[in-house]
Amino acid sequence: MKRLLCIIFIVLYPCLLYAEKANISELNGNDWKSLSHANKTAFTLGVISSANYVAKQNISYTPIVPEHEYDTKKAIALFSGFEKSKSRKVILYNKKEVDVMRENTRRTGNDLLRRYSIYSITNIQLYEGLEKLYDDFKNTNIFLNEAVYLVRKQLQGASDEEIQAILLWLRTPGNQRTFDQLIYTDKMGNVYYATFP
């Protein structure tokens, strides 16, 4: 009986350690460092699997408008006209115009979901990237759910300048962050806005 209780305690002990954190999005580098190698590997596998599952299950693949008939500029103009018409008279749209607007919404939604997917990266690469990130004590307070996407961005080949801008933003407490922190200048002197995630 004592052996059974001991096994149950060992299995439940990691859960008890994190029981005080009601919100898993509060986990940071300190929590990451306290995990075992096996738990870190399992975590990265779970993150990749769940991110890709959610994105894949919600991305719409069937186009409303065939590629050769779709015009982004026309869709934006139609939406712009719709926005302006709210304070004026009612505008009637034909089926083709409505379909173009719906296609624009579908594509925009797909692009947003793809930003959160993690393709072409192994869980070991993600694990090693998180290890390296949290080796720097300045990154300890970066939340784990944000660190995952920073590492993904590094692995996908983002420039050092963009990574440094995102790091500055992530190191800043959430209530003090400004989107100006995500503006960076590359080696050629061009100014860009870092996308995150």
Side-chain angles (χ1 to χ4, degrees), residues 48-177:
I48 291 171
S49 298
S50 58
N52 293 341
Y53 179 81
V54 169
K56 187 175 182 181
Q57 294 303 313
N58 291 287
I59 288 177
S60 174
Y61 290 101
T62 308
I64 299 164
V65 176
E67 186 66 40
H68 66 280
E69 293 180 23
Y70 179 71
D71 183 358
T72 305
K73 290 180 183 176
K74 183 177 180 180
I76 292 169
L78 287 169
F79 272 118
S80 178
F82 175 74
E83 288 297 318
K84 290 176 185 173
S85 73
K86 286 184 178 179
S87 61
R88 296 182 295 154
K89 62 180 181 172
V90 175
I91 297 177
L92 296 176
Y93 295 99
N94 63 35
K95 182 182 179 328
K96 275 189 162 187
E97 290 171 330
V98 171
D99 285 346
V100 167
M101 288 193 285
R102 286 178 55 218
E103 179 65 17
N104 181 267
T105 302
R106 182 191 75 84
R107 289 177 183 217
T108 302
N110 285 355
D111 289 342
L112 289 173
L113 283 169
R114 282 189 189 100
R115 287 177 59 183
Y116 292 95
S117 61
I118 305 175
Y119 292 111
S120 303
I121 295 173
T122 68
N123 67 314
I124 300 303
Q125 289 174 310
L126 185 57
Y127 161 80
E128 290 171 351
L130 288 168
E131 286 285 291
K132 185 176 179 184
L133 176 73
Y134 287 132
D135 276 345
D136 185 344
F137 74 94
K138 292 181 283 189
N139 300 331
T140 304
N141 289 325
I142 294 176
F143 291 124
L144 194 50
N145 60 347
E146 294 176 321
V148 164
Y149 288 102
L150 176 68
V151 170
R152 180 196 68 173
K153 196 142 184 93
Q154 287 175 309
L155 291 170
Q156 290 175 336
S159 70
D160 290 338
E161 295 82 13
E162 185 175 12
I163 296 300
Q164 289 307 312
I166 295 170
L167 270 173
L168 171 67
W169 191 67
L170 292 177
R171 288 173 181 161
T172 305
N175 61 349
Q176 297 174 14
R177 291 178 183 174

